[in-house]
Amino acid sequence: MNKEELIIETRQLEKKYVTDTVETTALAGVDLRINRGEFVAIMGPSGCGKSTLLNILGLLDSPSGGSLKFLGQEIGNSSERQRAKLRKQNLGFVFQSFNLIDELTVEENIGLPLAYLGVSKAETERRVQEAMERMGIAHRRSHFPQQLSGGQQQRAAIARAVVSDPKLILADEPTGNLDSVHGREVMALLSELNERGTTVVMVTHSPSDAEYAHRIVNLFDGQIVTENINSRKHAAELL
Amino acid sequence: MLQNYFKIAIRNLVRNKVYSAINIAGLALGVASCILIFLYVQDELSYESNFSKADRIVRVVGEVNFEGQQDNFAVTPLPLENEVRKFAGIQTVTQLSKLNKQTIWYNNQAFSEDNLLIADSSFFTVFDYKFIVGDPATALDAPNTIALSEELAIKFFGNAEQALGKVLKFSNDSYKVTGVFRNEKHSHLDPSGLVSNMSVRNRLSPVELKNLWFNLNYYTYILLPGEAQKSGIQQQLDNLTTKTINPWLKENRLNAQMRFLVQPLKDIHFDSRYAHGLAPTGNMAYVYIFSAVAVFLLLIASINYMNLATARSAKRAKEVGLRKVVGADRTQLVSQFLGESLLLTILAMLLALALVEVLLPSFNTLTGKYFTSGLFLQWEFMLLLLAIILLVGVVAGSYPAFFLSRFKPADVLKSDKMPRSGSAILRQALVVVQFSISLIMIIGTIVVFAQMRFLKNSDLGFKKEQILVIDVPYGDSTLVKRLPVIKQKLLQNPNVVQLSNSHSIPSESLNRTLMLVEQDGKMVEKTIDIMAVDYDFIPLMGIEMQAGRNFSKDFKSDVDGGFIINEAAAKWLGWKDPIGKKVNTGDTTLVGRNAKIIGVVKDFHVQSLHSEVKPLALELRPESPGYLLARIAPENQEATIRFVEEQWKQFDQKHPMEYFFMDEFFDRQYKAEEKMLTVFGYFAGLTILIACLGLFGLASFTAEQRTKEIGIRKVLGSSTGNIVLLLSKDFAILVVIAIILASPVAWYGMNKWLQDFAYRTDLSWWIFALAGTAALIIALLTVSFQAVKAATTDPVKAIRTE
Ligand SMILES: Nc1ncnc2c1ncn2[C@@H]1O[C@H](COP(=O)(O)OP(=O)(O)O)[C@@H](O)[C@H]1O
Ligand SMILES: [Mg+2]
């Protein structure tokens, strides 16, 4: 594992929201570097800018200032089309509220990223099958999201995030809507993905979830206040 | 991917049943109306196009100026054909004339036909009617031959083949059937038969022919070798005027000018300038109006789609966000949503086609046309369908598509925030547009209705009710001679109040005659409409005398020596005291007959209220054929008619008695408007229906969106009534704005329509008030259904919905 390969690098990243007359500074100069293979947890109080940061890292939103390099390429101000292209090739997302499309079945939801990548039908079928089996939801393939439990929905969402074999998975409070048993299940899945080489950036409130990460970034009022190496995780890996 | 879009589209349609139903039903109604209107308009615009030489055929029409009075005629003089035949650059010329209504007999079977034309075989060279049997080239060459239309042949013989060689009798003569041709309804000519002119038109010597330039009874058509020769013909027609006609007019000391014009065949249907045409002309204004209505209906249905799609956009936002997260770009999303609107449009289109198929027979009855679903296979029709699909699917679909695809995933995927549902202002503006259009249609319908009532209830200057009119066949002199006896018999029935016979009746076009009238001691020539009547006509019709007296048997000189004129004529001739003024008819046979004005009648409407009362002279012809008028008592009307029929049969075994009522006959002049009223009424109903469908959808959306607010208000003590008011108020305001916008537009348009009538109803305020109130009530009923539903839901449940 080459820890020196940078996936993401931000410098003085800023994000301001302007609504009517109020201007909110959500990010006030964030410097962050994420290496290939890392598992990074972002923590901090509600409203400190965690989701904003994650969305920008995931190219879902554009920064108002500073620089953002993705795989060494500056994309702070690139076009929506270009970002969509980078997204579908490199990124997977997991959300607190699962965010599956209600009108599509589990199988169709998982296959969606491959459809936008233009993957052939047979290949799609194979990879969707594989992803479903890995997440243990193959038996629910033709159900609609509302017919599943929260844990099952989140596993389907993770399956969708990994089906295109992304370099980076971004997860925004993935256990926030789950009970502790299902929460641990999800964390185990993310951890396993990371061990197989996928970089994971996760926002969380829960210190126990953060234990799965190599590094914990603490955010406060739009700025990084501390960065801790999770020594226990490193110790575990060394063992 | 396409499959995926399709699946989502279908599932969305099924899941949101009310929304889908509103959209599909509205669009289907709009599209169906559009298709029907297209058929009508296309039909109107393609008259004569079934004749293969249509583009090379012209009709010659006449502009006659007599004594300073200009008239345009579709009919031309008899000698014109021979003159035109000498022209350079023509292929064929043919002249035809209309035969009076005939009772045609085959053995014991008789049908009355008034669409018989007289022509020779050159007619079929110009107009290539398709012959089922017989040879068009020779069918009319021999005397006493007739070519029948397929319809008439079937009426007599069951089929076309049977007709050939059979002998028909009419007009005291026999005619052999030499051919049967297919009817061509799509033309100003639609003869039921063509009679060879060898048998009817006398062969005239060139000298005789030369004096018939005022015999305006013939329709003249020229077939040109190519399309471009029209101006050359016009030049030669003008030469004819200067070299031949002007000298003739001078020679006969006639103060007149006569000019001929070339009119392309395809222009005939919409050109209403020329009097005495073979068929009533179409009205281009109605073509425009109905085309506009079609566009409006589509617009209203499309607005429904746009409004409901954007109103519901909050529900689709998450899907948009997610698709972007997994890599969709905007183009892909736009095409997905466009695909959805196309799918919806296509579904609506299928429903519309089914609807058209069902409605076609009624539509045919309404318009008097002959559409069949075979028309669906025409390429013009396919083009129309494609145009509608693209217009509605793409144009109406693109606003929601661009609007929806704009959502940013970072915004819409936050569970605590709902994106706004598109611009409410735009939606409101579109609703105002819909209701403005609906209101214009409603006001239009009411105005047309009011005008029709005005026309029918106006005082015509005569009493048109309870007059039975019996056709007295032309050319049956024995029958005409027996009229006094028939009258005596009929009067034995106390319910036959009064009888009269006259040459013509109101609403028919009258003969014009040349008259010498006294002006400042001199006799000058004037042309005036003339009606030949008997002693009882004026009292029977209930026409009032303004001065002088009615024709009377006590004055022998009244026959050939007395004229009664109307007030308009007195005014026109500038006579303060018309009684005793000298007049003379210009008819060459009657020159020297000295006549006097013996009375003046108050103006009565010979023509419809479209036009002002024209100068008119009544002359006495105690035994004029044409019609026998019977004023009958309202009691036992049917028995009276039966009695008259029985008596008639005693005197006339040759013709079945044909009769009608004067008022119905007169009101036929308003048939076009009547039709317009019905069609317009239906479409006005449709626009408001489609607009209300949209309103219903929007109201249900608003109620849904404000469920929480309503719940809180109820917890705080608001009554159901208050909440219904709260939800309905906003929509009511939109309708009121529409009323304000629509009224001046409708006023302008309808004022213009009313200009067609010399006598018209007022555009009074109540029409606008009525339309506005009706629209408001309909809209409120629509909205309040949703409002009441929302207001009566359990508040606790409402608050809990997040
Ligand atoms: N779309 C938006 N418009 C305006 N303000 C926003 C928007 N999204 C987030 N914010 C504001 O930015 C700040 C950071 O928000 P967020 O990143 O969601 O916080 P976290 O995820 O850490 O709870 C908050 O003050 C929030 O109110
Ligand atoms: Mg957050």
Side-chain angles (χ1 to χ4, degrees):
Chain A
M1 205 181 298
N2 179 5
K3 296 224 165 169
E4 294 317 303
E5 192 191 338
L6 270 177
I7 289 215
I8 284 177
E9 181 180 16
T10 75
R11 240 180 251 285
Q12 288 304 302
L13 200 63
E14 267 181 40
K15 179 70 183 176
K16 287 194 178 90
Y17 290 112
V18 188
T19 44
D20 300 330
T21 48
V22 195
E23 195 188 87
T24 320
T25 303
L27 297 177
V30 173
D31 292 321
L32 186 67
R33 295 153 68 89
I34 291 164
N35 291 319
R36 179 179 285 263
E38 262 197 305
F39 191 146
V40 178
I42 300 172
M43 296 188 75
S46 190
C48 71
K50 304 183 295 291
S51 296
T52 304
L53 178 60
L54 202 73
N55 285 339
I56 292 177
L57 296 184
L59 312 182
L60 294 177
D61 210 347
S62 44
S64 359
S67 119
L68 170 65
K69 279 188 178 161
F70 189 85
L71 295 170
Q73 187 189 350
E74 178 62 48
I75 36 130
N77 292 313
S78 58
S79 73
E80 167 60 30
R81 180 181 289 269
Q82 207 174 346
R83 282 190 280 143
K85 198 173 157 209
L86 282 173
R87 259 200 318 267
K88 70 179 166 191
Q89 285 165 353
N90 302 299
L91 300 176
F93 290 85
V94 180
F95 300 93
Q96 174 180 359
S97 47
F98 322 135
N99 282 338
L100 296 164
I101 296 179
D102 295 336
E103 284 77 19
L104 295 180
T105 62
V106 166
E107 195 174 12
E108 287 160 357
N109 262 292
I110 297 173
L112 205 55
L114 300 179
Y116 283 110
L117 278 170
V119 174
S120 76
K121 214 175 153 197
E123 174 71 1
T124 300
E125 229 164 77
R126 192 186 63 72
R127 282 163 73 172
V128 168
Q129 178 66 24
E130 190 191 299
M132 285 192 300
E133 274 167 13
R134 240 162 94 194
M135 299 301 147
I137 44 158
H139 59 300
R140 292 277 184 267
R141 60 192 319 146
S142 26
H143 285 56
F144 286 96
Q146 295 93 319
Q147 301 167 322
L148 302 179
S149 74
Q152 286 169 329
Q153 285 190 51
Q154 196 61 304
R155 274 187 279 155
I158 296 173
R160 189 181 62 192
V162 302
V163 76
S164 58
D165 204 9
K167 296 191 176 63
L168 175 64
I169 286 184
L170 298 152
D172 195 347
E173 301 187 38
T175 61
N177 279 358
L178 299 175
D179 59 43
S180 56
V181 177
H182 286 118
R184 273 199 298 280
E185 219 175 83
V186 164
M187 286 315 301
L189 286 168
L190 286 176
S191 213
E192 189 195 321
L193 284 170
N194 177 248
E195 274 152 28
R196 293 205 197 169
T198 312
T199 315
V200 177
V201 178
M202 171 183 77
V203 166
T204 185
H205 275 302
S206 143
S208 60
D209 287 354
E211 284 300 314
Y212 290 87
H214 300 125
R215 183 154 60 110
I216 299 164
V217 175
N218 285 299
L219 215 57
F220 191 80
D221 267 359
Q223 285 180 305
I224 295 175
V225 283
T226 52
E227 276 189 67
N228 309 332
I229 302 296
N230 185 354
S231 44
R232 243 188 295 171
K233 172 90 177 178
H234 281 282
E237 277 184 9
L238 286 175
L239 281 176
Chain B
M1 194 84 279
L2 220 59
Q3 208 185 354
N4 183 289
Y5 291 163
F6 190 71
K7 248 184 244 165
I8 289 233
I10 293 281
R11 282 176 196 161
N12 262 318
L13 284 180
V14 174
R15 198 156 301 180
N16 305 289
K17 288 193 186 68
V18 175
Y19 163 83
S20 311
I22 288 175
N23 268 326
I24 295 180
L27 275 179
L29 287 175
V31 172
S33 322
C34 214
I35 291 173
L36 290 176
I37 291 173
F38 171 83
L39 291 177
Y40 171 81
V41 168
Q42 196 208 21
D43 182 88
E44 280 286 296
L45 293 180
S46 63
Y47 261 65
E48 321 293 350
S49 56
N50 287 337
F51 297 117
S52 68
K53 299 165 195 161
D55 290 323
R56 290 158 46 206
I57 303 172
V58 296
R59 181 170 79 170
V60 181
V61 290
E63 258 179 29
V64 180
N65 188 310
F66 203 89
E67 293 291 332
Q69 192 173 342
Q70 165 100 24
D71 280 301
N72 299 318
F73 292 118
V75 280
T76 46
L78 182 61
L80 185 65
E81 182 180 5
N82 282 346
E83 295 298 329
V84 171
R85 190 163 290 128
K86 297 178 212 156
F87 283 8
I90 68 154
Q91 192 165 325
T92 315
V93 56
T94 189
Q95 223 175 28
L96 42 128
S97 58
K98 198 171 151 69
L99 197 58
N100 285 323
K101 189 169 181 177
Q102 298 290 333
T103 307
I104 306 179
W105 288 86
Y106 176 71
N107 295 339
N108 292 322
Q109 240 187 324
F111 291 107
S112 190
E113 282 302 326
D114 62 356
N115 260 332
L116 295 174
L117 298 178
I118 305 168
D120 59 34
S121 285
S122 64
F123 174 79
F124 291 118
T125 316
V126 178
F127 297 96
D128 53 347
Y129 280 88
K130 312 279 172 305
F131 268 63
I132 302 166
V133 289
D135 178 9
T138 57
L140 299 178
D141 280 355
N144 289 49
T145 55
I146 182 169
L148 297 183
S149 73
E150 188 179 13
E151 271 180 16
L152 187 57
I154 287 174
K155 226 154 83 176
F156 269 110
F157 307 105
N159 67 54
E161 288 74 13
Q162 285 291 315
L164 201 65
K166 296 283 190 327
V167 174
L168 299 175
K169 288 203 168 82
F170 56 89
S171 173
N172 295 324
D173 219 335
S174 303
Y175 300 86
K176 194 170 138 197
V177 178
T178 49
V180 177
F181 56 87
R182 285 212 196 289
N183 285 76
E184 185 42 71
K185 299 270 172 207
H186 225 162
S187 165
H188 75 293
L189 305 163
D190 180 23
S192 52
L194 274 145
V195 183
S196 109
N197 68 3
M198 309 295 291
S199 39
V200 179
R201 202 206 291 185
N202 307 326
R203 296 288 88 194
L204 297 159
S205 71
V207 182
E208 284 170 310
L209 202 58
K210 229 188 92 184
N211 277 317
L212 289 172
W213 283 107
F214 260 105
N215 184 349
L216 295 164
N217 277 312
Y218 295 85
Y219 302 90
T220 311
Y221 299 86
I222 304 175
L223 176 64
L224 303 169
E227 266 180 70
Q229 276 90 356
K230 278 160 205 162
S231 57
I233 302 298
Q234 186 59 57
Q235 186 59 49
Q236 296 181 78
L237 284 169
D238 289 342
N239 288 345
L240 178 70
T241 298
T242 44
K243 292 208 180 110
T244 311
I245 296 174
N246 285 347
W248 178 80
L249 289 168
K250 213 167 170 189
E251 191 181 312
N252 287 276
R253 279 175 288 117
L254 290 164
N255 178 16
Q257 282 127 41
M258 194 182 281
R259 184 169 185 241
F260 300 107
L261 297 169
V262 167
Q263 182 188 35
L265 181 69
K266 283 184 168 176
D267 290 357
I268 293 176
H269 182 60
F270 283 116
D271 198 340
S272 58
R273 286 175 297 172
Y274 300 100
H276 302 294
L278 278 169
T281 52
N283 191 335
M284 202 61 192
Y286 289 167
V287 169
Y288 288 134
I289 290 173
F290 286 126
S291 306
V293 167
V295 172
F296 284 159
L297 279 165
L298 265 192
L299 180 67
I300 290 179
S302 304
I303 287 177
N304 278 354
Y305 179 76
M306 281 158 67
N307 271 352
L308 292 177
T310 54
R312 282 179 65 262
S313 61
K315 291 192 168 174
R316 299 294 301 270
K318 193 177 114 181
E319 182 194 332
V320 172
L322 277 170
R323 286 185 180 272
K324 286 196 172 176
V325 164
V326 300
D329 61 33
R330 202 163 160 204
T331 323
Q332 283 166 314
L333 287 165
V334 168
S335 31
Q336 177 188 347
F337 289 119
L338 279 182
E340 273 180 33
S341 64
L342 280 174
L343 177 74
L344 199 85
T345 314
I346 290 168
L347 285 178
M349 176 79 70
L350 293 176
L351 189 60
L353 285 175
L355 222 69
V356 169
E357 176 77 38
V358 171
L359 292 177
L360 217 45
S362 331
F363 187 70
N364 280 339
T365 320
L366 197 64
T367 54
K369 304 260 181 199
Y370 304 85
F371 301 118
T372 59
S373 36
L375 287 166
F376 292 0
L377 298 172
Q378 284 179 356
W379 65 268
E380 289 102 332
F381 189 76
M382 303 278 180
L383 266 183
L384 171 83
L385 295 192
L386 196 70
I388 292 177
I389 287 176
L390 288 182
L391 198 79
V392 178
V394 176
V395 177
S398 56
Y399 173 68
F402 283 97
F403 176 78
L404 277 168
S405 64
R406 223 175 39 199
F407 287 130
K408 282 203 196 129
D411 292 338
V412 294
L413 293 178
K414 287 205 183 94
S415 48
D416 56 336
K417 258 194 183 171
M418 274 298 236
R420 288 194 301 137
S421 297
S423 160
I425 300 271
L426 180 68
R427 266 201 302 279
Q428 287 163 351
L430 290 173
V431 169
V432 169
V433 170
Q434 288 182 308
F435 271 82
S436 300
I437 294 172
S438 305
L439 272 161
I440 291 171
M441 300 275 298
I442 294 174
I443 294 169
T445 309
I446 299 176
V447 173
V448 178
F449 180 79
Q451 174 67 5
M452 294 314 289
R453 230 185 39 175
F454 172 83
L455 292 177
K456 289 186 178 168
N457 297 341
S458 288
D459 182 10
L460 296 170
F462 70 91
K463 299 191 184 68
K464 65 178 171 173
E465 293 80 17
Q466 296 300 129
I467 300 179
L468 188 70
V469 184
I470 302 154
D471 228 355
V472 181
Y474 276 84
D476 194 337
S477 48
T478 49
L479 188 66
V480 175
K481 288 228 175 66
R482 285 155 96 180
L483 274 177
V485 191
I486 301 175
K487 283 188 186 173
Q488 249 174 23
K489 286 269 186 208
L490 293 181
L491 281 171
Q492 284 171 0
N493 186 323
N495 281 330
V496 176
V497 182
Q498 207 170 12
L499 294 166
S500 154
N501 51 290
S502 76
H503 185 79
S504 43
I505 53 171
S507 94
E508 282 191 316
S509 58
L510 297 181
N511 284 334
R512 269 256 170 111
T513 190
L514 182 64
M515 265 188 158
L516 292 164
V517 297
E518 185 184 335
Q519 297 256 281
D520 305 324
K522 280 181 291 183
M523 297 303 278
V524 298
E525 286 175 346
K526 292 277 179 187
T527 43
I528 189 166
D529 284 346
I530 191 144
M531 227 173 160
V533 300
D534 70 354
Y535 296 103
D536 301 315
F537 183 78
I538 291 174
L540 177 134
M541 293 283 283
I543 298 165
E544 285 175 45
M545 298 301 298
Q546 192 252 336
R549 58 174 177 83
N550 183 16
F551 299 117
S552 165
K553 286 174 185 153
D554 299 339
F555 295 84
K556 280 267 166 352
S557 60
D558 280 0
V559 180
D560 285 354
F563 281 97
I564 295 175
I565 56 171
N566 67 357
E567 291 170 304
K571 207 170 147 202
W572 176 58
L573 295 168
W575 286 340
K576 293 241 158 49
D577 181 19
I579 308 299
K581 285 275 192 292
K582 278 191 265 175
V583 290
N584 226 326
T585 51
D587 191 328
T588 41
T589 58
L590 289 175
V591 170
R593 143 186 157 185
N594 281 310
K596 280 196 183 72
I597 303 293
I598 61 158
V600 179
V601 288
K602 287 197 174 163
D603 281 343
F604 66 99
H605 287 275
V606 178
Q607 302 305 335
S608 71
L609 298 186
H610 286 99
S611 48
E612 309 236 10
V613 176
K614 284 198 286 190
L616 172 76
L618 298 170
E619 81 177 315
L620 182 61
R621 291 271 176 85
E623 279 168 20
S624 57
Y627 302 103
L628 179 62
L629 314 183
R631 181 168 287 286
I632 60 172
E635 300 82 34
N636 288 329
Q637 203 166 281
E638 277 173 34
T640 311
I641 294 172
R642 259 201 317 277
F643 166 79
V644 173
E645 254 175 323
E646 272 158 30
Q647 295 301 312
W648 189 265
K649 221 183 278 170
Q650 313 270 312
F651 293 93
D652 182 11
Q653 285 90 15
K654 279 198 285 181
H655 312 89
M657 181 176 106
E658 291 196 31
Y659 67 92
F660 50 87
F661 279 96
M662 175 87 78
D663 49 358
E664 287 169 16
F665 188 73
F666 192 86
D667 290 343
R668 280 209 317 207
Q669 296 175 99
Y670 308 123
K671 232 168 98 187
E673 284 86 6
E674 197 96 49
K675 234 192 249 173
M676 156 104 174
L677 175 64
T678 325
V679 177
F680 219 70
Y682 279 124
F683 286 131
L686 266 181
T687 50
I688 190 93
L689 174 68
I690 300 174
C692 279
L693 275 177
L695 205 57
F696 183 83
L698 273 189
S700 79
F701 161 75
T702 320
E704 195 180 314
Q705 212 183 25
R706 294 171 77 170
T707 312
K708 193 169 171 185
E709 176 197 340
I710 293 164
I712 295 170
R713 281 177 187 271
K714 282 192 84 177
V715 169
L716 296 179
S718 190
S719 73
T720 304
N722 284 339
I723 288 170
V724 172
L725 189 70
L726 174 84
L727 290 174
S728 310
K729 198 184 64 202
D730 293 349
F731 289 108
I733 291 171
L734 299 183
V735 177
V736 170
I737 295 174
I739 295 172
I740 295 167
L741 289 179
S743 295
V745 178
W747 185 88
Y748 176 82
M750 293 322 289
N751 196 37
K752 217 159 174 190
W753 180 76
L754 283 174
Q755 299 306 316
D756 266 1
F757 298 89
Y759 304 87
R760 49 189 177 257
T761 183
D762 296 325
L763 275 176
S764 42
W765 64 271
W766 68 263
I767 291 175
F768 297 88
L770 178 66
T773 316
L776 199 59
I777 289 175
I778 294 170
L780 282 181
L781 282 178
T782 310
V783 171
S784 61
F785 176 81
Q786 291 293 346
V788 169
K789 209 171 99 185
T792 49
T793 41
D794 181 2
V796 180
K797 225 183 190 168
I799 293 173
R800 235 191 269 129
T801 350
E802 296 271 315

